[in-house]
Amino acid sequence: MRELFYFDSMITPKLITLVYWIALAMLALACLSILLAGEGGIVVRVITVALGAPLGALLIRVYCELLMVLFKINDNIQKLADRGGQRTGADRMQP
């Protein structure tokens, strides 16, 4: 509980997965509404959904992965700070 109140750990990375699934569900509902009540003929609507759904899913995935990368960078910087700048054998350059 201390981690939550003193910001020792991030809660947002845990929520990104939930946001991802909610966004995919919203994309599915949008595609369904386009198919059922969209403008234009059925062929145009099917083509729109066939092209838009995979592209939308890909963009949602990329956005969530970029957010996760930012939090991974934060975790790695925190590990470096906790280590106190000590170098390990793997960090040293070999002549």
Side-chain angles (χ1 to χ4, degrees):
M1 189 59 87
R2 180 189 184 289
E3 295 174 348
L4 182 64
F5 290 118
Y6 290 98
F7 295 96
D8 291 336
S9 69
M10 298 276 184
I11 194 170
T12 308
K14 298 171 183 90
L15 295 176
I16 291 175
T17 303
L18 178 64
V19 169
Y20 172 71
W21 287 108
I22 290 171
L24 284 181
M26 290 173 62
L27 176 66
L29 287 174
C31 290
L32 186 62
S33 79
I34 288 171
L35 281 176
L36 296 177
E39 300 269 334
I42 188 68
V43 175
V44 172
R45 290 184 281 173
V46 168
I47 291 172
T48 301
V49 169
L51 295 175
L55 181 63
L58 179 68
L59 291 175
I60 292 168
R61 177 69 185 217
V62 167
Y63 177 73
C64 289
E65 284 185 6
L66 286 173
L67 289 176
M68 290 301 292
V69 165
L70 291 174
F71 285 103
K72 294 288 182 181
I73 289 171
N74 179 52
D75 288 342
N76 289 331
I77 289 173
Q78 186 66 41
K79 286 177 188 175
L80 285 173
D82 290 343
R83 195 169 74 181
Q86 299 171 359
R87 297 184 74 164
T88 63
D91 292 339
R92 296 188 186 126
M93 294 185 67
Q94 303 274 334

